[in-house]
């Protein structure tokens, strides 16, 4: 197997979205009596579940993850550093404009700083996204990130 084609990635994404949306459906079959002799009737938008190959989907997701992990490298570290720079810039702009009273610039800059720190930097680090590729293993490791204080 090679790198998945864009159309295959779209197909996998749509399958995953369908699985998520069907689980939110009000016509869920979770409350069916387990002793019932008849098979529950699926809603029209849930018919795909009958032919969904979970094993093949699992293999596809594993292969995609392996392929993406192989492609990690210095470009990902440069991207992380760029996101940190922009996040710090937002913090600086927000902090410097707070003194002007309640204003949209400070609000947007500080909220973007907070959001980017949690969603783009901490989230990926805590899940081990930089464990194997970042040269600073003491900071960018899932088991060491955000532990301690600013001085150690």
């Amino acid at each position: 197997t090679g790198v998945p084609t864009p159309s295959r990635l779209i197909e996998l994404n749509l399958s995953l979205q369908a699985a998520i949306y069907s689980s939110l459906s009000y016509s869920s079959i979770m409350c069916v009596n387990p002793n019932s002799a008849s098979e529950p009737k699926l809603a029209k938008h849930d018919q795909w579940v009958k032919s969904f190959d979970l094993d093949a989907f699992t293999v596809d997701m594993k292969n995609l993850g392996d392929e993406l992990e192989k492609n990690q490298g210095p470009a990902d570290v440069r991207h992380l550093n760029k996101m940190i720079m922009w996040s710090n810039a937002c913090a600086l702009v927000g902090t410097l404009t707070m003194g002007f009273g309640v204003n949209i610039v400070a609000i947007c800059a500080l909220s973007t700083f907070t959001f980017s720190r949690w969603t783009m930097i901490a989230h990926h680090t805590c899940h081990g996204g930089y464990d194997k590729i970042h040269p600073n293993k003491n900071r960018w490791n899932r088991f060491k990130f955000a532990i301690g204080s600013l001085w150690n």
Side-chain angles (χ1 to χ4, degrees):
T1 65
V3 177
T5 63
S7 61
R8 180 66 179 139
L9 289 175
I10 291 170
E11 182 181 300
L12 291 171
N13 187 21
L14 291 175
S15 296
L16 185 59
Q17 286 180 6
I20 292 168
Y21 291 138
S22 70
S23 69
L24 300 175
S25 170
Y26 289 106
S27 61
S28 176
I29 60 172
M30 289 177 57
C31 297
V32 172
N33 182 350
N35 299 324
S36 174
S38 64
E39 189 173 315
K41 184 173 172 22
L42 291 172
K44 184 178 179 182
H45 64 275
D46 290 335
Q47 294 296 319
W48 66 272
V49 172
K50 288 181 181 178
S51 62
F52 182 70
D53 186 353
L54 184 59
D55 293 330
F57 181 75
T58 302
V59 168
D60 285 344
M61 289 294 105
K62 174 76 172 103
N63 291 341
L64 177 60
D66 291 345
E67 185 65 32
L68 292 173
E69 186 175 348
K70 281 188 236 174
N71 292 327
Q72 286 183 322
D76 296 296
V77 175
R78 282 193 305 274
H79 179 70
L80 171 67
N81 291 334
K82 184 171 57 170
M83 291 299 99
I84 292 169
M85 178 199 65
W86 281 110
S87 182
N88 289 342
C90 288
L92 182 65
V93 168
T95 303
L96 293 176
T97 57
M98 280 191 317
F100 299 120
V102 177
N103 66 81
I104 193 70
V105 173
I107 292 168
C108 289
L110 290 173
S111 66
T112 302
F113 161 71
T114 304
F115 185 79
S116 66
R117 282 294 167 157
W118 282 107
T119 60
M120 292 189 281
I121 298 167
H123 177 91
H124 295 93
T125 304
C126 290
H127 282 290
Y130 301 105
D131 283 0
K132 296 178 184 173
I133 61 169
H134 203 286
N136 185 351
K137 305 286 187 219
N138 289 324
R139 180 173 181 195
W140 300 102
N141 179 287
R142 74 176 119 192
F143 299 112
K144 298 176 182 175
F145 183 75
I147 294 176
S149 69
L150 295 174
W151 295 277
N152 63 357

